[in-house]
Each structure stands twice: as C-alpha cells, then as structure tokens.
C-alpha cells in the first residue's frame, strides 16, 4: 500500500478508515507494522526494531515555520533536548540523552546516506522519514561518530501518479514589550542616583542632575527617554514557501522540491533568507532486480546575525546597559561631548556627557553593520545502486558528497558617539570552502526459513571530510582533513515473528586516532520480545501491542579529538626564542620553541549505553506507550590537565582520561480516537535525564568554566552535573550593624548587603564557603500535543515545557547594582532595594560600593528557576470539502491561522527562559535574543 | 553469471580494503609541527631556540628568578653580595638570602620551569632531527652537528639544575612523562651529553654556538662539581689550555688588563670562552638584553647608570677580602680586622677619607665605592648611588654595568630602563679555565703547575694599565698592591690560595655558592661570613636570624612540581 502524503495524513486516513490493529502510529504518522524504516544502513520493519528508535512525523515537524530541522525537533521526540534563541538563522543546540563529552556533544545526521554535522542546509519540507537512533543497539553501527546519537533522514521520493503540492505560511513576529517594565526610564534613573546619594551619604554636584543637596534631580535639556528594546526591535515578517512536484511510473520516479524561506529578526537588520532546490529520482530495471537513484540538493542562504549571550550582544548592550537618558539620535542645538560635537542627526551615545557609561549605541551599530553578511552555498548529492544478486541477497553501493562555500563580510566603522570610541575602520572578508565524500558498499541478506527470519548486512565504507580551506583578506589556512575506513556487520534474527535478536559490530579506522590505536571496535547487542503475539496474551484482547526490548553496546566520538592534538607545534617570539648567534649586539636570529605539546596516543571517546524499554499499544492501539530507561556511561573523555615543567612550557595536550555518566527515562504516550465527526490525537512526551561527572583525572576533582567579571560561573566537578553553577549562597541581606558584627567576618559586610552562608562553619567567609548552586539542565522536559478534528476543521495545540532548569541571570549584575558600570539599572533596584527606612527590600542597598558583599562574586542572587511551559503552537485549519475541490480538480486545500509562542508561563524575570550557551557553561542569560510571539496564516494545497 | 558477479564484488572489496592503512596517515596542514620543521633550516631554528634559553629568560614571565648569571643563587647566596635595595621592597627572593626558603617559593618554581623548558627545546631539536633523518630530508653529517650541539646544551641545562637541586629528573627525547622521577642518579647521563659536545669542531662559524672547547670546559666543570673527578677534568682542561678556540674560530687568552674584560664591546673579546649573547634594540623590548640582571644597577636618579633598582650590593666581607699584604691576600681571613674604610653613614656632601691600605686592584672593577671612578660616569659619590645605605651598605655592583658612552647604543632604547644591555653574561672566561686547571692540579699533587697558573692570573691583575685611575687618568685610584705567589708550601696552603683567588678574580660573577659546595665548606664559610656581616650597621635587618645548615646546601624541589608529578618527584630535604 502506498501512502500519498499530504499535510495531514492522519486526517485524510482517518476519513478513509485505514486505522487497524496493525497500524503503528508514532507521533501521528501512520506507519504500518510492515513498513520499512531506515535504521542504520538498512530498512527494518518498525515492529522488528529492538533498539531505541524514535520516529518523527515530518509533517508535525514542519508545522512551525523554520529553516532548521534542529529547531523544529523541540518537543517532538523524547530523549532529545533542543534549546534555541529567537535569532533567525541561529542553529539550535540539539542534545540526545544528556552529555557524553566535555568537548563535543553534537549529534550525527545522515541525510540520504551522507553524514553531516550541520543540518542547516536541509529544507525540513523535503524530509520523508526522520528516525533518531538513541541507544547503542541502533546507533553503534555508526561506530566512532555515534556517541551523541544519530538522526537518519531520507528525503522525499517520487511515486506513481503526478502530484503537485504547495505549502505556504506567512506572518509577523511581535517583539513584545521586552524590558519596558524591568528597567528604568530617565526620571527614575535620576531618582535612583538620589537614592544612592542618600544611602551612601555622598554630597556632590552631579554633572547631569545637579547638586545632590537638591531634594530631587533635574534633567539636562537634551535628556531623552529611550526605550532601547523598543527602539531596536520591530515587528518582523516571516514566510515560508514550498512547492513540490512528483511523479513517475513503474520504472522511474522523481521528486522535485523548491523552498524559499525568509525571516527577518525582531532585532533590526537581522535576517535569514534561504532558498533550496532538490531533485530526487529512482529507477528500477529488470523488475526491481536493479535499482538506482540519486538525491541532489542545492541550498543558498544569506543571513546577518548579531552576537548572542555575551557582552557584545545588542540585547545586552541596548536594553540592559544603555541608559534611557541617551537619545538614539541627537536633536537640538550643537553640543560638545567628549570626543565629538554632536549636531542634529548624529547618533547619540555615551560620549555626550559624563556618567553615561560606556555602552555602544546599538541602533548605530546595527545600522552601520547592516551590510555585513554571511552567505552560504551548499551542494549535496548522493547516488545509489542496489543490485539483487540472487533472491534474498542484494549488493548496495552509495556514493555521496557535499560541497560548501561560505562567505563572510564584517565591516567595522569608526565611531564618534561613544565615551570609548573605535578609531579605525576594519574589514574582514573571508571565504571558507569545505567538502566531503562518502562511499559505502554493502551486501544485504534476507532469508526466511519457516519461523526463522534472518537479515544480515555487511559493509565497507570510506569517508573523507573537512577537505577545504578558509581564505580571508588577512591570511589563509588549509583545513586538515579526516579520513575514515570502516567495516561493519549487522545481523537480525527473529523466531516466529516474536523473538528478536540483533547484533552489530563496527570497526572504524580514523586518521585522527593514534597510530598504535588506529582502529576502534564498537559492538552492540539487542533483543526484543513481541509479547502480544504469545498465546497466553491472546485473551488480553485489550492489549494490541506489547514489545519488550533491551540493548547494550558501545559507540564512540571522534569529533572531540582534534587532528592537531597529536603533533607538537612550534612558534617563535623575539623575546623568547631568538638569539644573537653571531654576536652583533643589536640584532638576533630567529629561533623556534615548542608552543604546544603533542599527544600522539590519543583516541576516541567511548559511550557504553544500556537501554531497557517497552512499546505497548492498548485498545486497538488507541493508546500507545513507548518507554525507555537508559544508562549512558561515557569514558576515555578528552581533557587537558596541566603538565609538569619537565614536559616543557608548551600548551598541554588532551588525553583520554575523564568520564561522565547519564541515566534517564524517555517516554512517549499517545491517544487517538474518533467518534462520528470528531477525531482526537494527543501525545505526551517526557524526557528526563541526570548527568554526572564521574572523573576528570586521578588528581583533579574539578575545573572552572565560564569566566566573567565576577569569576567563573561554573565549576565542573566530580559527582556534579556538567555546567553546575558554583559560588556563594546568599542567605539574606544584613539588616543592621549588630547582625554584621555577630556574623563571621565577611569582607565588605554592611547593612543592606549580601550575607553569605558559612559553609565550613569557621569564622571567615571566604572562597572556602562556596557551593554548587544549581544547574541549567532540566529535571525533565515535556510536551503535550493535541490535534482535534471536527468535520473539516482541525485545531492543534502544542505545549512544550521544561522543569527544574536553573538560569544564571547575569543581566542582573549590570542592572541591580549601581556600582557595576554606569549603565542601565532596573526598577527593582529603585523600588525594591533595601534602605535604612524600609528593610524589606530583596535587592541589596543601592550604593556605590563594589566589594565582596555586593557585586564582585558569583552568588545565588543571580540564579533563578527557569522552569516554563510555553504554548508553542496553536493552529486552526479548515480543509475545503472534497466536493468543492473536485470541481476545480484540486486534491486538497487547507487554510489555517496559527500563533507560535502564543504565551509562556514562567517565573523567570528575563526575556526568555530558553537559554543556550556552551556545554561546559550554559543557561547564562547575557542578553539573550528572545523567542517571540508569531501570528501567521497559510495555505496547504495539493493537485 | 551470478558467480561472476560475486567474484567481482569480492575482488573489488579486497582491492578497496588493501588501499587502506596508509590512506589514514595524514599530517596536519598549515601547522608548524615536527614534520614542517624536519629539515636543515627548521632544525637550525629549533636549535637557536635552545641556545636562546642560555640567559634563562623567556618572555612569558620568566625573568630574574631564572637568570643564568646566577647573581641570586650563586653570588648572593654565596655572600659576595646582599640583596641590596631597601626594606620596603619586599621581594620573592628574600627567603633565599636568609637561607630560609620553603619549597613553595615561587622563585624556585620559575627557575625549575626555565631549566626544563630549555631541556625540552633541546629534546625538540633531537626529535625533529630524527624525524628528518627518517624522512631523508637531511644528511647524516649535518644532523650529527645539530645533535651534538643539542646534547651539549641539554647536558649543560641539566647540570645547571643539578648544582641547584641535586635530585633532579633527567629528560631526554624518549622520556615518557608518566615515568619522570628524580630518585635515580643521573649524573652519568649529564656527562654523556656533555661528552657529545666535546666532539664538535672548534670552528662552528658562529660565536653563539657551543664548540669543542666550550664543551670540554663544561664537561670538566661537571666532572669536578658532581664527582670531584679531578683526574679526568685535568686532562680536559690541559687540552683546552693547549688548544683553545672560540666558536667563531677566534683565539682565546688572558686579556691584557682586568677591567677591559667587562666592557660590553669586549664581551666576545680574547678572554671569552663562551659568553651568553645578549642583544638590544632588536625588537625584543629588552627581553634579550639581560632581563635577568635588570634590577642590578645603582639607584641614583640622574647621572648614573641604570637608575633602578639598587639590587645586588657587595658585602663588606667581600670588599675586605681584597686587602693585601705584600701584594698577597690574607688567607687566614684576618682582613676583617682591617676592614676597608667605607662611607657608611655619610652623606655625599660629608667629607670622606678613602682607604689607603694595600688593596688588590681587582676590587675596584668588582665593586663601586665612594671616591673611585665608576667606568666613565665619574666618581662614585657615595650614598646617593645607593638606595638605602642603612639597609644594605654603601657599595654598588659594577661588572655588569654599562658605560655612559654606550647608553642608547648598547642598551635598550625601546623600554622604560637602560638596564637592558648587550653585556652578555661571561659564562666561561679564560681566567676561570686557568683556575679550574689549577684546582685540578692541586688535587692531583701538581702544586707547581697550580702555582704557575694562579700566578698567570695574578700577573695579569698586576698590569698597572688595568688599574682604575683617578680623574687625571694616570694616578691609580687606590693603593693597589698585587703580586704573584712565591711558592705553595703545602697542599692546604695551595687550596686556600686557589679558593681565595677564585673569589678575587671571579667575584660577583655567580660562581661562589657552587664553588663552596664543590669544596664542601659551604656551611662553615657562610656562617663565618654571616657572623661578620651581622655586625655591620645593616647586618641585623638584612640577615636577622639567618644561619646556614647542611640542609641548605641544595635548594628544595619546588612543591608545585611535586604536586604536578602526582608524587613521582620526591623532596630532597
């Protein structure tokens, strides 16, 4: 039976009463038990899968318009955590089942047989099947690239009968009120200065506001009242068009897809545009004895991104660091600033007058940078040949490759409006070329003898990637490529269609590994039991499916190991390695010194994964459950401990020495039913994991990450999870001097300032009194998807939530402490801070003091609960009735209205609790580009 | 048909699999690594990097703590000089001067890091040379020249560490970092390395390289210091005395006068055997210009050299040692009862009567003192040249300091101080060779030979052209009396004479402490001097309760290195 895909297969198929006991539906996609799913080099019946494999319905995937598949996976599959910002073109961080490395946790994507690690070129609308291999039973066949999980994607193929489809959605993104209610307006800022004078007892003449002895401040005539968030953001358009043609006959089939995606960012001048084209074709000769085909795609993108989550992020520099008094543009009579005389039309900035701080004018910067770009052209293609040698034995060969060219232009203009100006123009223009190829040959064996069924595949693969170079106007560099040579074998055995055993073995040789340890072996075993087929289960008619399964295996990660790690590198510097060899007195001859110590003995990192789970279907598969418990042990992790002087003073190399553990639970629960004209399809997904660092080196128990003005945010320590915040625990604010005197000695302690917990119970509060304060990994994430249909209407609501993730709100360092920069401050600091007369404030006393007890330390004040639940998508659609459509010879037409990110329920005080970062330190809000509400309408049409 | 297909598939797979292994060998691109440098030019550059550590200094914050001139670890520790400067200038090296250092002292960690960085550079040369030989990109002859220089340097650097710490690890190009230990006796490895250097030709085409002559002297020093092996050292030093050449092929001999040895322009002059080649105004901002000695200049602001920082002031005991009677030094140390008159406690404007007793002329080239011409800067005017007389006494260092006529020419201009100079440290000079030879002769019962060598050094000192003069340029600045020994009556006398001669000839040149260790008289001699210095007006504040014990002979192994070695390195105390 062939399935004709339209956007809502479920809807049309329900209408056609095609749901039966054998139908396996995952995430709303109808798949028959006999359907073939690509898991690791071969197709397998979904019922026969013994590993932990999740299938994602590509139609559910493409419901929210985005160009990046990673972004769209959030909440669609259990075991996968996706964190993304609202910046168009910024890839989300996709993590499968926790963390298995300090250095690299990105999953592997296989698209039509071509492995890649960057999926941004792929048009999500081109996807036919997406399966996620989460355990070793399913992923170990990918060997030393599979530790972080594997996503296997096949793109759409043609079918008999000509079809045209067109999908479109268009809408607006609304920036929202942003920081308007969080930060001070101009008058409030001056009032805050007066409060600080009061608190500190300072008497002076303020250069802008007048003498502090006045009862209230006066504003200078040029004072503006800028809402920086409002000024730098605008409602922004987003649209996605996708047009496909497909058709064919018995011998040849083709699919062609064209996509155009354009998203402006709410931050001015940021945008992402992408065009894709694909043509896939399949041929078979000699009655399916010989099959061949190709998949070719081309993708062109053009985007402009701004820095995110660091001090250069415009969201940080504008709303959180620029005072409201600063005008965006100068109006009024000429005025002499620090380095510039401002005249009408000039950009305003911190260079106008003293005490304005040193933030840039984000509008000026965004405007000056608007012609910067990053453009990428990506070609990907693969061809395959499948020859049936004899019945049950096929030879398969796939050859594929990609070619990518990225070009970057970054122009920096000199500034005049700042208190610290950029004097020079700089231009960086570069082009990066990268290509790779893969050739896989395999023999596939399929035989059934009575009750015994055997499938086996043996293969040989060569890969060469990172072939390329980067050239810029400053210099050029060639990449060091990596080559792989591998053999793999997989065997599946089933008895009576209910007892299943599977084993895989992969041997990977990689140029990055040490010569003595060049080949890694990655085995896996898995087994399954289709209990519902047992006779003792036949009375329990309400159980329609029950499969118990378990797996054990090992996968590896070669990406953490740099090809440069093995070599000694040398450098030179006049003061360190040059020598006046010829006795000239006033000149020296160039010499080299070892700048980096090589470790030629390093090899891959290993993950050993045990997985136990079950898939169950109840009441004719109306209710379905998939459940997994797993334990993922990552060992031989690369870490670079400091080396003794006897190794020389070069940079220390990475050695395979550390380890981490993850345990977790994935669950998918769904319910579907129909009554008369109503249909309901709901699913609930749960992802929970606990990560723990087990060992760093034999003597090193921790290392700090994420350095900032207040120290390191994170201490990665044995027995704690990755990226755990570490610092002082604030127990409250000192209420009076007596309390200060009775407390252990704490530098800077004073009424209204932080009181820290005395962890070691001694008489001093110092760096021995720090502890772990929370971590950004959630206790669990979950999603809830409802699809309700009534006659021709459909209503979808999709919630996504995260619980137990802590956020380090570093923005508060600037806004809640008067002495941190002379920048923007928060309403909290003015209205909720501790004063002598009102000691109930929760924010420390507004004071010019910068010391250990105020704003110089990492402490729990900045840490907030980031739990949230977001209505990611709500959509109402209407399918025009078949009667109407058939008159105009259209197969289906659906129109819909959609709201993305309609609302969010969270206690987090910042703009968006979904905060990414680096694996070693993330969840730190430093001007995060927020995800915002989108309102769209669209059309799905097929001919 | 089917069989053919199967067969062809099998053959294809075999073909494909056989191309395998070599295909996985990739060398990194665009990387200056051991493959890129595996050729004559690359190896030469690495070797130059290894030579450049002869000053002990590296621009990553390894400075005076590791200076190869050993002004702290050799001369101050040996009480030829004190720290100098003033009481408020607290300094990481303070514990060393009062024999009170802990293993956690950062100075010692820096010196250790400097030495082993140098060793690692030597091993880098050897590793890359072997790679080049394997790759066929260099001839065996050229490779041998590089290898011998690298090994000689490696031997020297290890020896430098040995004489500080005793229990040191030996690191060569094959050492596995997991197996580094300091509990085995590695002296023979140092000897073997230095022996390689003795096979080098004498004309190496560059003054900055090691040659056969230099290596022989270093080997002799090592044999004497580590084993008290005077017999073998005698052979080597005698060879050198007969046949000696500088690495650029030029001659070696005693300079006609004593003072001229220390002028910057003469650093590679006839007296030099090996001088560390400093350079200034070469773009290094002073890091190649004696960064290790930058603190050791008179403190006078204005018309005096350096201007900063007043360290390295000679001790009274050292100055007194230059007292002579009948031209001969007072070997019974009675000179301390007739101390050289100093301007301690006097302001420059106060009148001062100079000492008129007999003095060895070498005193006024080693020490700056009131009333005596100081190079071409005019007369030393006393307490205004010194940072704080009441803290460190009245004397100034002199040998390392530059002349006024050389300021800006042979001193660094691209820096805050002229204290970076091209006055390379005289690592080995010919007088040192003669005295080492004499020492060997004494210990092998050739007193006559020793007498003649020691007298050769004294005869040069006697050359009146080499006396410091008054401003008229003619009159000697003090009552200089120095004469040759008539005879050595016995071995004890000869030893005392030799030991005193080294103090007078090589004073303030970083040798003293290691000499005392070699002779086994460190504890008694230093305590004797300490007792005297403590009676000076500055004595108590400078030395307080300092006392020297046998555990102080070797410096402690830096604690940080013990920690980083996971306990494989053991403390030597």
């Amino acid at each position: 039976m062939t399935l004709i895909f339209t956007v809502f297969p479920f809807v049309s198929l329900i209408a056609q009463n095609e749901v039966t006991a054998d139908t396996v539906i995952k995430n709303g996609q109808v798949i028959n038990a006999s359907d073939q799913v690509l898991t690791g080099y071969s197709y397998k019946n979904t019922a026969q899968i013994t590993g932990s494999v999740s299938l994602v319905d590509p139609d559910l995937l493409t419901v929210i318009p985005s160009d990046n598949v990673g972004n769209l996976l959030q909440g669609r599959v259990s075991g996968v955590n996706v964190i993304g910002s609202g910046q168009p073109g910024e890839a989300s961080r996709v993590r499968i089942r926790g963390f298995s490395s300090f250095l690299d946790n990105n999953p592997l994507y296989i698209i039509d047989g071509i492995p890649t690690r960057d999926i941004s070129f792929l048009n999500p609308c081109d996807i036919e099947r997406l399966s996620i291999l989460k355990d070793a039973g399913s992923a170990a066949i990918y060997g030393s690239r599979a530790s972080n999980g594997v996503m296997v994607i096949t793109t759409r193929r043609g079918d008999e009968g000509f079809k045209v489809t067109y999908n479109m959605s268009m809408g607006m993104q609304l920036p929202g009120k942003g920081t308007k209610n969080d930060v001070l307006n101009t008058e409030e800022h001056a009032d805050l200065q007066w409060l600080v004078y009061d608190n500190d007892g300072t008497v002076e003449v303020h250069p802008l506001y007048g003498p502090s002895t006045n009862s209230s401040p006066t504003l200078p005539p040029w004072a503006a009242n800028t809402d920086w968030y409002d000024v730098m953001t605008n409602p922004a358009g987003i649209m996605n068009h996708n047009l496909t043609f497909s058709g064919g006959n018995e011998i040849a089939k083709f699919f062609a897809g064209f996509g155009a995606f354009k998203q402006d960012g709410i931050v001015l001048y940021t945008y992402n545009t992408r065009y894709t084209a694909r043509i896939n074709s399949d041929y078979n000769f000699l009655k399916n004895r010989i099959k061949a085909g190709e998949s070719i795609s081309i993708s062109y993108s053009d985007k402009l991104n701004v820095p995110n989550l660091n001090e250069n992020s415009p969201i940080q520099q504008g709303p959180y660091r620029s005072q409201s008094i600063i005008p965006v543009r100068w109006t009024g009579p000429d005025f002499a600033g620090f380095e510039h005389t401002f005249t009408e039309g000039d950009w305003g900035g911190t260079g106008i007058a003293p005490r304005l701080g040193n933030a840039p004018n984000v509008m000026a910067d965004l405007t000056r940078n608007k012609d910067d770009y990053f453009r990428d052209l990506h070609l990907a293609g693969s061809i395959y040949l499948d020859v049936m040698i004899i019945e049950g034995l096929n030879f398969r060969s796939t050859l594929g490759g990609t070619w990518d060219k990225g070009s970057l232009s970054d122009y920096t203009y000199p500034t005049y409006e700042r208190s610290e100006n950029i004097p020079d123009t700089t231009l960086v223009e570069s082009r990066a070329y990268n290509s790779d190829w893969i050739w896989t040959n395999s023999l596939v064996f399929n035989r059934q003898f009575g009750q015994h069924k055997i499938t086996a595949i043996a293969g040989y693969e060569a890969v060469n990637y990172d072939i390329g170079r980067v050239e810029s106007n400053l210099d050029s560099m060639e990449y060091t490529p990596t080559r792989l040579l591998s053999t793999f074998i997989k065997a599946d055995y089933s008895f009576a269609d209910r007892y299943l055993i599977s084993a895989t073995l992969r041997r990977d040789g990689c140029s990055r590994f040490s010569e003595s340890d060049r080949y890694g072996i990655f085995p896996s075993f898995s087994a399954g039991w289709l209990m519902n087929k047992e006779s003792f289960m036949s009375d329990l008619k309400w159980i329609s499916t029950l499969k118990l399964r378990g797996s054990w295996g090992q996968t590896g990660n070669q990406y953490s190991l740099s090809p440069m790690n093995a070599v000694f590198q040398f450098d030179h510097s006049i003061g360190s390695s040059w020598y006046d060899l010829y006795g000239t007195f006033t000149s020296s001859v160039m010499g080299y010194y070892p700048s980096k110590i090589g470790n030629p003995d390093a090899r891959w990192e290993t993950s050993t994964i045990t997985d136990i789970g079950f898939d169950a279907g109840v009441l004719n598969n109306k209710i379905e459950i998939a459940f997994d418990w797993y334990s993922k042990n990552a060992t031989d992790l690369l870490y670079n401990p400091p080396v003794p002087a006897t190794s020389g003073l070069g940079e220390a190399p990475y050695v395979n020495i550390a380890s981490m553990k993850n345990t977790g639970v994935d669950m998918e629960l769904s319910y579907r039913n129909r009554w008369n004209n109503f249909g309901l399809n709901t699913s609930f997904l749960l992802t929970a994991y606990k990560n723990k660092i087990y060992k760093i080196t034999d003597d090193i128990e921790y290392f700090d990450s994420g350095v900032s003005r207040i120290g390191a945010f994170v201490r990665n320590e044995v027995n704690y999870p990755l990226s755990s915040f570490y610092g002082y625990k604030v127990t409250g604010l000192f209420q009076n001097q007596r309390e200060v005197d009775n407390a252990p000695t704490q530098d800077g302690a004073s009424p209204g300032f932080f009181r820290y917990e005395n962890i070691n119970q001694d008489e001093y509060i110092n760096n021995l009194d720090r502890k772990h304060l929370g971590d950004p990994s959630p206790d669990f994430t979950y999603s809830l998807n409802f699809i309700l249909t009534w006659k021709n209407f459909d209503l979808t609501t999709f919630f996504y939530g995260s619980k137990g993730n802590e956020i380090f709100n570093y923005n508060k360092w600037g806004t809640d402490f008067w002495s941190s920069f002379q920048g923007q401050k928060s309403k909290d600091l003015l209205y909720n801070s501790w004063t002598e007369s009102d000691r109930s404030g929760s924010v420390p006393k507004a004071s010019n003091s910068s010391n250990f007890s105020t704003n110089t330390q990492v402490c729990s004040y900045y840490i907030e609960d980031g739990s949230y639940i977001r209505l990611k998508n709500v959509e109402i659609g209407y399918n025009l009735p078949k009667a109407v459509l058939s008159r105009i010879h259209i197969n289906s037409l659906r129109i819909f209205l959609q709201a993305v990110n309609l609302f969010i329920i969270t206690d987090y005080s910042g703009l968006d609790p979904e905060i990414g970062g680096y694996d070693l330190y993330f969840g730190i809000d430093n001007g995060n580009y927020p995800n915002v509400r989108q309102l769209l309408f669209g059309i799905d049409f097929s001919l | 048909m089917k069989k053919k297909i199967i067969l062809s598939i099998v053959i294809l797979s075999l073909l494909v699999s056989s191309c395998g292994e070599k295909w996985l060998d990739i060398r990194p691109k665009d990387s200056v690594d051991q493959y890129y440098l595996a050729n004559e030019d690359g190896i030469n550059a690495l070797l130059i990097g290894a030579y450049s550590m002869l000053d002990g200094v590296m621009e990553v914050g390894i400075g005076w703590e590791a200076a190869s001139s050993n002004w702290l670890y050799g001369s101050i520790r040996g009480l030829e000089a004190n720290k100098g400067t003033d009481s408020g200038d607290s300094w990481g090296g303070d514990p060393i001067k009062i024999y009170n250092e802990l293993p956690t002292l950062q100075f010692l960690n820096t010196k250790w890091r400097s030495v082993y960085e140098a060793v690692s550079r030597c091993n880098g040369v050897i590793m890359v040379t072997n790679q080049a030989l394997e790759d066929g990109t260099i001839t065996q002859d050229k490779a041998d020249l590089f290898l011998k220089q690298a090994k000689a340097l490696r031997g020297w650097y290890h020896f430098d560490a040995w004489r500080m710490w005793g229990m040191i690890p030996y690191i060569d190009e094959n050492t596995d970092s997991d197996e580094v230990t300091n509990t085995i006796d590695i002296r023979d490895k140092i000897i073997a390395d230095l022996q390689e250097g003795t096979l080098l030709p004498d004309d190496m085409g560059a003054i900055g390289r090691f040659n056969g002559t230099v290596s022989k002297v270093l080997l002799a020093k090592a044999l004497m210091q580590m084993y008290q092996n005077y017999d073998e050292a005698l052979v080597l030093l005698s060879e050198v005395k007969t046949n000696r050449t500088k690495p650029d092929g030029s001659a070696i001999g005693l300079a006609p006068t004593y003072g001229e040895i220390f002028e910057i322009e003469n650093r590679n002059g006839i007296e030099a055997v090996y001088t560390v080649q400093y350079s200034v105004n070469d773009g290094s901002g002073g890091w190649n210009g004696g960064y290790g000695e930058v603190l050791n200049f008179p403190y006078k602001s204005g018309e005096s050299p350096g201007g900063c920082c007043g360290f390295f002031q000679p001790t009274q005991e050292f100055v007194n040692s230059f007292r002579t009677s009948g031209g001969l030094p007072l070997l019974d140390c009675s000179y301390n009862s007739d101390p050289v008159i100093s301007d301690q406690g006097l302001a420059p404007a106060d009148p001062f009567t100079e000492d008129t007793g007999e003095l060895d002329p070498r005193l006024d080239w080693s020490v700056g003192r009131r009333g005596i011409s100081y190079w071409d800067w005019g007369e030393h005017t006393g307490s205004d040249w010194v940072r704080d007389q009441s803290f460190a006494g009245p004397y100034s260092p002199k040998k390392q300091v530059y002349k006024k006529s050389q300021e800006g020419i042979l001193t660094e201009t691209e820096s805050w101080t002229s204290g970076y100079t091209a006055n390379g440290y005289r690592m080995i000079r010919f007088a040192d060779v003669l005295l080492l030879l004499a020492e060997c002769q004494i210990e092998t019962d050739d007193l006559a030979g020793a007498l003649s060598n020691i007298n050769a050094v004294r005869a040069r000192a006697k050359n009146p052209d080499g006396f410091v003069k008054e401003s008229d340029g003619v009159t000697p600045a003090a009552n200089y009396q120095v004469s040759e020994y008539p005879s050595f009556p016995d071995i004890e006398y000869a030893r005392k004479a030799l030991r005193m001669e080294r103090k007078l000839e090589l004073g303030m040149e970083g040798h003293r402490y290691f000499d005392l260790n070699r002779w086994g008289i460190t504890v008694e001699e230093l305590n004797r001097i300490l007792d005297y210095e403590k009676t000076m007006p500055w004595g108590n504040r400078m030395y307080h309760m300092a006392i020297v014990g046998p555990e102080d002979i070797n410096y402690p192994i830096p604690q940080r290195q013990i920690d980083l070695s996971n306990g494989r390195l053991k403390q030597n105390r």
Side-chain angles (χ1 to χ4, degrees), chain A residues 27 54 56 73-80 132 134 668 685 687:
Chain A
N27 293 319
S54 283
V56 180
L73 278 171
Q74 190 183 67
R76 298 299 184 190
V77 57
S78 64
V80 176
I132 302 182
K134 300 187 291 192
E668 299 178 7
L685 270 60
T687 303

Side-chain angles (χ1 to χ4, degrees), chain B residues 302-329:
Chain B
E303 281 281 307
S304 94
C308 195
C309 301
F311 282 62
F312 203 40
Q313 291 183 238
T315 58
Q316 184 68 50
E317 207 277 349
F318 178 67
V319 170
N320 291 347
S321 313
F322 286 86
R323 179 72 73 202
T324 51
S325 165
L328 292 178

Side-chain angles (χ1 to χ4, degrees), chain A residues 478 518-519 579 588 649 699, chain B residues 21 25 30 274 282 566:
Chain A
E478 203 180 330
R518 186 74 103 195
Y519 291 87
Y579 189 59
S588 45
L649 300 184
D699 330 272
Chain B
E21 334 291 302
D25 282 327
D30 269 348
Y274 190 84
D282 63 343
N566 302 336

Side-chain angles (χ1 to χ4, degrees), chain A residues 304-363:
Chain A
L304 176 55
N305 275 181
V306 293
N308 196 22
L309 293 180
N310 60 53
E311 282 191 359
N312 294 322
S313 144
I315 296 273
Q316 224 293 316
Q317 295 170 330
Y320 289 109
R321 227 171 107 198
S322 296
Q323 294 184 27
S324 305
I325 195 174
I326 301 172
V328 178
R329 285 237 189 236
W330 185 261
T331 57
D334 287 4
F335 186 89
F338 288 137
E339 292 176 25
H340 176 78
T341 302
F342 291 85
T343 115
E344 180 95 26
D346 275 350
W347 292 109
T350 53
I352 291 173
R355 309 279 184 103
L356 294 178
N358 61 357
N361 179 336
V362 289
M363 283 302 294

Side-chain angles (χ1 to χ4, degrees), chain B residues 419-554:
Chain B
Y420 300 125
T421 73
N423 204 5
Y425 172 58
R426 317 298 194 261
M427 198 164 110
I428 312 169
R429 56 189 184 83
F430 192 57
D432 187 5
V433 175
L434 289 178
L435 292 176
L436 287 170
L437 178 55
E439 189 175 332
C440 291
Q441 286 165 327
I442 294 174
E443 300 302 328
T444 55
D445 277 325
D446 179 7
L447 295 185
L451 180 67
S452 113
N453 282 319
I454 291 175
N455 279 340
V457 171
R458 292 182 72 79
R460 187 264 299 279
K462 211 167 86 167
N463 183 352
D465 291 340
F467 291 179
V468 176
K469 305 288 197 300
E470 299 284 6
S471 43
D472 63 8
V474 174
T475 330
N479 180 5
Y480 298 128
Q481 302 296 332
V482 58
S483 55
E484 286 125 289
Y485 283 100
S487 71
F488 287 155
D490 57 50
I491 194 167
E492 272 316 307
Y493 186 89
R495 281 194 185 125
K496 282 195 184 139
L498 180 279
R499 291 169 184 181
M500 176 62 91
E501 200 60 34
R502 284 188 73 82
K503 189 177 186 181
L504 302 173
E505 175 69 24
L506 303 168
M508 303 285 280
E509 292 182 46
H511 297 291
R512 191 66 180 162
Y513 187 71
F514 304 113
D515 285 346
L516 292 176
N517 285 349
R518 180 169 74 251
W519 301 323
I521 57 172
T522 313
V523 175
E524 356 160 342
E525 177 70 2
L526 290 183
N527 280 325
R528 180 189 70 76
I529 301 177
L530 268 181
D531 285 342
Y532 177 72
E533 284 291 308
K534 282 179 190 169
T535 64
M536 296 290 112
W538 61 84
N540 259 320
R541 269 210 297 174
M542 175 66 69
Y543 297 108
H544 200 45
M545 305 271 276
I547 199 167
V548 181
E551 71 284 353
D552 294 313
I553 292 182
N554 278 329

Side-chain angles (χ1 to χ4, degrees), chain A residues 67-69 109-112 114-124 126 155 274-278 297-301 376-381 401-404:
Chain A
D67 64 317
N68 192 301
V69 175
Y109 303 93
I110 313 274
I111 302 169
D112 294 329
I114 308 177
T116 182
R117 302 243 293 159
D118 176 6
I119 204 177
S120 56
F121 70 93
L122 180 67
N123 182 352
D126 282 350
T155 54
R274 191 187 65 183
Y275 305 103
T276 59
R278 168 177 295 280
S297 72
I298 181 169
S299 151
Y300 174 76
S301 79
D376 190 275
L377 178 66
H378 187 102
L379 269 71
T402 70
W403 181 90
D404 188 285

Side-chain angles (χ1 to χ4, degrees), chain B residues 196-218:
Chain B
E196 287 288 317
T198 62
L199 303 172
L200 285 167
D202 262 345
D203 185 350
M204 292 294 292
I207 190 82
R209 293 189 192 273
F210 278 8
N211 67 353
T213 301
V214 170
S215 306
K216 284 178 189 163
V217 175
L218 293 179

